[in-house]
Amino acid sequence: MKFSALIFFGASALALVLLAGCATRPPADDPEALQEFRENNDPFEPSNRVLFAVHEAIDQAVLQPMAEAYRDVLPPPVRAGIRNVLGNLRTTTILTGDLLQGNFDRARKTLGRFIVNTTIGIGGIQDVGRAYDVHGHSEDMGQTFAAWGVGEGFYIFMPLLGPSTARDLVGFGADIVSNPFTWIGQGQILDAWNYMRLGMTIVDTREALLEPIDAVRKTSLDPYATLRSAYRQRRAFEIQNKDSPAGAVAPAGGVGFGQGITESR
Amino acid sequence: MTRVSLPRRFLMFGVFGLVTMPARAQQMDITRATAFVDKTGQDLINAINDPRLNQTQRRDKVASILRSAIDIEGTGRFILGRYVRQASPAELQEYLKLFDEIIIRNLSARFGEYRGVKFLLGRSQQRREEDALVSTLVERPNMPPFTLDWRVAEINGQPRVVDVIAEGTSLRLTTRSEYSAVIQRNGGRVAALLDAMRGQIAQLVAREGA
């Protein structure tokens, strides 16, 4: 995943450059405003809002039309198959998270799902595990850090990646580093495969978010603030490792997007 | 997958409902809360599927069901948070009126998109002393299902919806963040929020064509 590594480091560098734009701390004689300032934990809000605007422009020009075309062109079973394959390919990340959090019950499910889905499910196209009521779940290093007691740190919005926090961004980097696809071999075929996987992940994730993002744009008086709050709540929910009756899992991207993504039908 | 209970089917709505932090709430009985969510869902499904109603009548009917199910004032106050005290009495009154209209319009409009939806009552759990959380699973045709939790509190002796939580994301918390950002970015003036809300209502009206 060289390209995603590139995005990650490029975006980090960009964020550092933009640190210049800092939010103004409320005066000390207004404790409620101060508390809110700390809860938002968004010291670089002015810069983040610029990055958010950049992302929105890119999204409306490129990502959203691509996701809509993807939904229009491919029938649901094909899209479901693609999502399943991408999810299956995330097994190493999820399993690593399960194990590092000492959650062996979930690790067993993750491994079982991988074996069954890869074989009977033909390379992960069919989610056979779900048919046996063994549902997938999301996991990543950001969640593992949280389970270890690491606070989320300041909020950050990255164009293309979406909302994140200091902790989740470091976790995202660790996920790339710990992904075997980052390291095994080299050559054009592998590069092409990695790019294709990244491209499909972006399209698949955006397609899953078509309605939630439409709803935010239509109903929110401040989409930036809505997304910031929703992202935090969604991450907190995922970190609890509660099984959702709807079998909600994060999309294949897995940086956490602040919205519940459910399994495709 | 701990969907324990009476899968009951009905129609349901929206990703989003409502909210409140009731100072006057007493302990909420979980059985009562569940029955209340159950009945509200049933009423909504009946209204949406009633063939005798035209679109305007249906929307009015849905709005009246929502008005009686949601603690709009408490929810509105919770969302405005610390600015309740900063607002003048006239501003607060205006805010509650606008909030009522936005919530009801948003939710009622959404029902149109949710025809054919099923609504399964999931496990219920008592969350805190003063309110109960009722879990439901929302299923729409050709769409992935999602979990919607209803926070129900006892307001003046009646169960009322005070928040809805879609896949872990609470509507009242998200909206509080949104409104607070609007006020802060406009010099801390509640009046700026009221302007934005008026603008939003104008847009909603235009979209409904009503």
Side-chain angles (χ1 to χ4, degrees), chain A residues 32 36 219 221 233 244 262, chain B residues 82 85 144-145 170 180 184 200:
Chain A
E32 285 183 322
E36 187 175 32
T219 60
L221 298 175
Q233 292 184 51
S244 155
T262 46
Chain B
R82 64 194 169 99
R85 273 173 285 118
S170 144
S180 162
Q184 279 176 29
Q200 186 173 43

Side-chain angles (χ1 to χ4, degrees), chain A:
Chain A
M1 297 289 267
K2 293 189 186 81
F3 185 60
S4 52
L6 207 67
I7 292 183
F8 171 67
F9 292 116
S12 308
L14 183 63
L16 284 173
V17 169
L18 286 164
L19 289 195
C22 288
T24 321
R25 200 180 170 81
D29 60 359
D30 191 347
E32 285 183 322
L34 263 179
Q35 194 200 345
E36 187 175 32
F37 183 78
R38 274 193 292 266
E39 278 171 11
N40 284 342
N41 201 351
D42 192 0
F44 312 118
E45 182 168 342
S47 304
N48 276 337
R49 282 188 183 266
V50 172
L51 294 173
F52 177 67
V54 170
H55 173 84
E56 285 288 282
I58 299 172
D59 185 74
Q60 290 179 18
V62 184
L63 298 181
Q64 185 184 350
M66 246 165 52
E68 283 166 352
Y70 175 71
R71 180 180 284 184
D72 289 344
V73 170
L74 294 181
V78 176
R79 281 186 273 119
I82 290 171
R83 181 165 301 170
N84 289 341
V85 169
L86 292 169
N88 201 42
L89 288 170
R90 289 191 70 235
T91 298
T92 48
T93 304
I94 297 169
L95 187 60
T96 305
D98 291 338
L99 292 172
L100 290 177
Q101 292 175 37
N103 196 329
F104 298 108
D105 185 46
R106 278 192 151 201
R108 183 175 52 75
K109 285 181 181 162
T110 303
L111 196 58
R113 282 173 49 80
F114 178 72
I115 293 167
V116 172
N117 289 349
T118 306
T119 53
I120 304 173
I122 317 170
I125 295 172
Q126 290 284 334
D127 190 346
V128 183
R130 193 192 311 156
Y132 289 97
D133 230 12
V134 182
H135 288 250
H137 57 264
S138 80
E139 212 55 79
D140 53 68
M141 271 319 269
Q143 292 188 48
T144 301
F145 289 151
W148 290 349
V150 178
E152 61 186 2
F154 57 84
Y155 180 78
I156 190 156
F157 191 97
M158 293 287 200
L160 300 179
L161 285 183
S164 194
T165 58
R167 178 196 66 209
D168 292 344
L169 206 59
V170 172
F172 181 57
D175 283 332
I176 293 171
V177 171
S178 67
N179 188 333
F181 284 106
T182 308
W183 305 106
I184 51 165
Q186 50 189 338
Q188 287 180 340
I189 294 177
L190 193 69
D191 283 351
W193 161 255
N194 281 336
Y195 280 118
M196 193 176 90
R197 183 180 163 197
L198 178 69
M200 291 314 297
T201 299
I202 292 170
V203 175
D204 171 65
T205 303
R206 189 61 186 84
E207 189 269 335
L209 290 168
L210 281 173
E211 281 82 15
I213 290 183
D214 268 0
V216 169
R217 284 185 186 149
K218 256 194 227 166
T219 60
S220 176
L221 298 175
D222 189 338
Y224 173 85
T226 300
L227 215 55
R228 180 176 64 195
S229 170
Y231 172 75
R232 286 235 168 84
Q233 292 184 51
R234 176 63 194 167
R235 285 296 278 176
F237 180 73
E238 284 186 303
I239 288 160
Q240 290 173 5
N241 286 351
K242 272 202 295 196
D243 286 322
S244 155
V249 289
V255 207
F257 293 82
Q259 298 283 351
I261 310 294
T262 46
E263 291 167 353
S264 64
R265 277 278 166 99

